Amino acid sequence: MLKINNLHARVEDKEILKGINLEINAGEVHAIMGPNGSGKSTLAAVIAGKEEFEVTEGSVELDGENLEDDAPEERAHKGIFLSFQYPVEIPGVSVTNFMKTAINESRKAKGLEDMPANQMLKLIREKAELLEIDRKFLSRSLNEGFSGGEKKRNEIFQMAMLEPKLAILDETDSGLDIDALRIVANGVNKLKSKDNAVLVITHYQRLLDYIVPDFVHVLHNGKIVKSGGKELALELEEKGYDWLKQETVA
Ligand SMILES: Nc1ncnc2c1ncn2[C@@H]1O[C@H](COP(=O)(O)OP(=O)(O)O)[C@@H](O)[C@H]1O
Ligand SMILES: [Mg+2]
């Protein structure tokens, strides 16, 4: 599904990604871990096509198609979802209305008509029920006064509604409490299927107590320095990141 080949990217004059190789297949959950500043969020942003980063070498392919010329919205329409690290507040626009607009925008990009209102309502109800989101939440103003957990709930709801091929969740927010982690994890576990894939980016091992990844990759200084199964996350928890730095130097 996603294939990253020798990806190098920079911001301003600084090279941040220094040759990333990563392949994610449908049905898989991958976790990227690594110390602060290792380039995790940059990798997420480059996959999503954010323009402040310049790709200097290598490629990102989705289903065999090079994404280099696609703007972030086009990538989103092709099925790449990136969670918002700093969600905007939109007073007067409800969670539901925001979602309706997003869905219809995405349909328009595919040449489809707006989703009929009754179908939209059914979809919203279905997904809200799956994620145990109550009605009251759906009518609240987007992100206005949302707690950390509510922001996560909104994000997961968006992911559920948009049904992306590849969901990238960048969980760098150090304010995440255990409830918020559980909301993210439950959402991911309920939404994953044999047809989609999830890339969870986290600094914290504890998120992976709830989301069990098929593969774990450690990013350090712009490179994946180690990949393994879920046990790698436990090893990192135990030993920290220092042993990897030594290995890379050696
Ligand atoms: N917009 C930017 N402008 C300048 N430097 C940036 C920018 N974004 C990230 N960086 C730098 O790139 C490096 C990697 O950052 P980031 O990808 O956010 O790491 P992580 O998510 O692993 O903590 C850091 O040194 C950071 O300061
Ligand atoms: Mg980050």
Side-chain angles (χ1 to χ4, degrees):
M1 173 183 284
L2 187 81
K3 201 164 177 214
I4 299 178
N5 306 300
N6 189 32
L7 185 68
H8 291 249
R10 62 162 75 177
V11 64
E12 284 149 24
D13 279 340
K14 192 171 162 203
E15 185 170 49
I16 299 172
L17 301 182
K18 302 173 182 170
I20 304 273
N21 292 293
L22 178 65
E23 191 164 352
I24 301 180
N25 296 303
E28 294 175 349
V29 176
H30 289 242
I32 294 207
M33 303 183 71
N36 274 326
S38 54
K40 302 182 298 296
S41 297
T42 302
L43 177 61
V46 170
I47 298 171
K50 295 217 174 140
E51 272 134 21
E52 66 260 41
F53 300 95
E54 187 196 349
V55 172
T56 51
E57 211 181 321
S59 62
V60 177
E61 289 172 21
L62 185 69
D63 296 330
E65 199 185 329
N66 193 328
L67 296 178
E68 68 182 333
D69 296 326
D70 292 340
E73 313 80 70
E74 289 168 287
R75 296 183 196 212
H77 296 144
K78 286 182 178 172
I80 294 180
F81 173 91
L82 174 61
S83 66
F84 306 109
Q85 229 178 292
Y86 305 103
V88 287
E89 291 188 11
I90 314 184
V93 174
S94 67
V95 169
T96 301
N97 277 329
F98 179 80
M99 212 54 253
K100 283 181 185 166
T101 308
I103 294 261
N104 284 331
E105 278 301 311
S106 151
R107 289 172 66 92
K108 197 152 89 190
K110 293 180 188 125
L112 300 170
E113 302 275 298
D114 279 3
M115 187 182 282
N118 58 349
Q119 198 185 326
M120 182 76 81
L121 195 64
K122 188 164 164 270
L123 185 65
I124 290 171
R125 285 208 179 127
E126 226 174 75
K127 300 295 185 183
E129 200 170 311
L130 177 74
L131 300 172
E132 296 166 51
I133 290 173
D134 71 38
R135 293 273 171 93
K136 253 193 264 165
F137 180 76
L138 296 174
S139 56
R140 285 184 57 186
S141 272
L142 195 73
N143 285 318
E144 204 179 7
F146 278 17
S147 67
E150 286 165 342
K151 282 179 185 159
K152 289 290 140 187
R153 186 162 277 138
N154 177 46
E155 228 169 75
I156 293 296
F157 176 61
Q158 291 180 356
M159 173 178 154
M161 290 291 293
L162 293 167
E163 301 180 332
K165 274 187 202 162
L166 174 70
I168 305 171
L169 303 169
D170 189 357
E171 300 306 333
T172 46
D173 191 337
S174 54
L176 278 194
D177 58 18
I178 213 78
D179 281 348
L181 287 180
R182 281 210 185 98
I183 290 164
V184 172
N186 282 337
V188 167
N189 292 332
K190 282 183 176 167
L191 297 170
K192 72 176 184 191
S193 77
K194 65 177 187 7
D195 301 315
N196 63 25
V198 183
L199 179 60
V200 188
I201 296 177
T202 183
H203 177 79
Y204 301 102
Q205 195 276 333
R206 56 180 189 159
L207 179 62
L208 305 180
D209 289 340
Y210 301 98
I211 299 176
V212 180
D214 300 302
F215 300 95
V216 174
H217 312 277
V218 183
L219 196 62
H220 177 245
N221 198 13
K223 282 187 179 161
I224 291 178
V225 294
K226 203 169 181 68
S227 295
K230 59 176 189 287
E231 66 292 340
L232 179 55
L234 297 173
E235 211 174 338
L236 287 168
E237 168 82 343
E238 205 182 302
K239 300 185 186 171
Y241 289 111
D242 287 344
W243 62 293
L244 286 168
K245 291 177 194 169
Q246 283 152 16
E247 272 190 12
T248 1
V249 173

